[in-house]
Amino acid sequence: MPESHHPTSRPLYRAADLRPLLSPRSIAVVGASARQGSFGERTVHHLAGFTGRLHLVNSRYDRLGERPCHPSLTALPEVPELVVAATPMEAAEAVLEECVTLGVGALVLYAAGFAETARPERVALQARLVARARQGRVRLVGPNCLGLVDYASGAWASFMSVPKPWRPLSGPAIGIVSQSGNLGFALAQATEAGAAVGRILTCGNSADVDVADYVAALAEDPSCSAIALLFEGLSDPRRLLEAAELAWANDKPLVVHKLATGASGAEAALSHTGSLAGSEAAYRAAFARCGAVMAEQYEGLLELTSFLAKAPPPRAAGVAVVSTSGGSAIMAADRAEARGVAMPQPGEAARAVLEARIPEFGSARNPCDVTAQVLTDPDSLRACAGALLADPAYGALIMPNGFAYDTATPRYAMLDALAAEHGKPGCIVWTSQYLEGPGAREAEALPRVALFRSMDRCMAALAAWQARAALRAS
């Protein structure tokens, strides 16, 4: 596929460059505190499960709980790989200078009040921090950021409330990259609903480390199954396109949702993180050339990323629908047509199964309505779903869930097993407005089934999946 080859303002930081930041073996919290609710206290609390070595720094204390507290970074028994500064803006330069002197690998600065204020002296302060950090080879995250989270190692380096996974990670997981800390952590709450999220990476003002660096690092991270990127803008968009090309080269799905697409949003982005928003149309065209997939809505970013993380390459262009509701079947046909998703009719073998198992008042075609008779003949749904997945005309199967109740929950595992058997993805469209109703978490957690809360977003995801595969084959 085409590559940009345009010179960039600086090279990307790659996985090896950001190893002390993303996979630290030791962390020091400067500004550790006993004051309930303070950033320092919250950060230390979140790092209680860190599998590496944790050090606390604050000259006011000798101990905090069961841990010793040291007066400075210099007084620590080792040089930490990552320093998290829960300190005021005025202390930033001093903390950074100590990090440079000691050879610390990375520094996270929570403090706000820098270039995002547009005050000349604060812009100059941020510029000094960046220059000194790069001179001293300290990777700087922030300022004005919420930090980052690695679920696997327990490196929850943030003062923000960290979403608690509903289930332990059992393999590669989604990496969330966000300029906006709050929205990034909000996306990560999908892990409480069953989604496999491995990292939350925020960068605030992106003074040094930015979203492009995070994408590049995750592209090379075998523990990352796909990347969800939420950003406002960059001073040098070419670096992000280079990172997108790296993700493509590693066959790592990259799904992007861009904020600040209008004039008012662009103005807000400048005051929020000091970012230049840029043209949405230009970004969209450039991402398409680099193989990244655009999510039209923030609400669909994690859905689409999760689907692409789970779905194998498509074996066919057609999509089949098996539903217990005629209305949901019609909805699927409407949205497939609108999104350009092919829904061919089943072949002879599949049609014979449908006709044998579906009542005459149902619909033995695609979309397939097996009717409420599945309540008295549960195996009919399995037989019809299996026949459609076995049909070579279909690359994926959609099963709308019209009503959220315990009776329907076993159907999701059944679909997952059939998807594994046939090497094709299953999609559950949750049409119930009981969004976290019975079975939702179970469906989200399945390895070969993707959960959507919109028929339109499901069809858009299938279209994007097919387009991505076609681009890879070109």
Side-chain angles (χ1 to χ4, degrees), residues 35-336:
R35 183 165 59 85
Q36 193 74 21
S38 66
F39 286 5
E41 185 270 337
R42 292 174 65 87
T43 301
V44 172
H45 173 73
H46 291 154
L47 288 167
F50 176 48
T51 57
R53 299 177 298 280
L54 178 62
H55 304 290
L56 310 185
V57 176
N58 192 326
S59 59
R60 294 182 178 183
Y61 305 100
D62 293 324
R63 300 189 69 83
L64 281 170
E66 298 180 355
R67 296 182 184 275
C69 193
H70 303 270
S72 65
L73 290 170
T74 305
L76 293 178
E78 66 174 334
V79 175
E81 292 192 330
L82 172 62
V83 170
V84 181
T87 55
M89 176 195 68
E90 293 76 10
E93 286 189 288
V95 173
L96 173 60
E97 192 58 42
E98 196 171 9
C99 288
V100 170
T101 299
L102 294 173
V104 169
L107 170 63
V108 173
L109 280 179
Y110 292 154
F114 292 84
E116 77 277 11
T117 67
R119 292 168 58 179
E121 69 276 13
R122 301 291 181 84
V123 173
L125 172 58
Q126 181 170 304
R128 288 199 304 274
L129 289 171
V130 175
R132 184 60 176 137
R134 290 179 179 169
Q135 181 186 42
R137 301 183 64 81
V138 177
R139 305 306 178 214
L140 174 65
V141 177
N144 184 30
C145 79
L146 268 61
L148 60 159
V149 171
D150 174 32
Y151 281 106
S153 70
W156 297 9
S158 176
F159 64 87
M160 183 71 170
S161 294
V162 178
K164 309 298 191 297
W166 178 65
R167 59 176 178 126
L169 289 177
S170 58
I174 293 169
I176 295 174
V177 176
S178 179
Q179 269 180 306
S180 167
N182 186 278
L183 288 180
F185 276 75
L187 284 171
Q189 284 194 291
T191 192
E192 301 186 80
V197 175
R199 294 184 187 271
I200 315 169
L201 306 178
T202 74
C203 51
N205 284 9
S206 308
D208 181 33
V209 176
D210 60 16
V211 295
D213 299 310
Y214 281 148
V215 169
L218 290 181
E220 300 175 319
D221 180 2
S223 72
C224 175
S225 58
I227 305 165
L229 168 62
L230 180 70
F231 83 109
E232 300 162 19
L234 293 171
S235 58
D236 184 358
R238 295 167 299 179
R239 297 181 59 260
L240 183 52
L241 300 180
E242 184 181 328
E245 290 170 357
L246 187 60
W248 179 264
N250 286 277
D251 198 13
K252 189 73 59 79
L254 170 62
V255 183
V256 182
H257 179 69
K258 188 183 182 304
L259 303 173
T261 58
S264 296
E267 185 177 346
L270 193 59
S271 63
H272 179 215
T273 59
S275 299
L276 298 175
S279 161
E280 183 195 12
Y283 271 116
R284 184 175 291 276
F287 280 130
R289 290 195 300 272
C290 296
V293 178
M294 295 290 288
E296 296 175 5
Q297 301 172 320
Y298 165 84
E299 295 81 3
L301 177 56
L302 255 290
E303 284 181 349
L304 179 52
T305 309
S306 181
F307 170 71
L308 292 177
K310 294 179 178 183
R315 293 187 171 188
V319 171
V321 176
V322 60
S323 176
T324 60
S325 159
S328 293
I330 295 168
M331 183 193 301
D334 284 343
R335 300 324 302 159

Side-chain angles (χ1 to χ4, degrees), residues 324 370-381 405 407-408 411:
T324 60
V370 297
T371 80
Q373 287 295 110
V374 294
L375 294 173
T376 59
D377 181 13
D379 193 56
S380 65
L381 181 60
Y405 65 145
T407 301
R411 300 170 188 168

Side-chain angles (χ1 to χ4, degrees), residues 443-463:
E444 183 70 74
L446 292 168
R448 300 166 192 87
V449 168
L451 179 65
F452 294 89
R453 289 183 171 82
S454 157
M455 186 69 75
D456 186 66
R457 292 201 299 264
C458 178
M459 292 300 179
L462 289 164

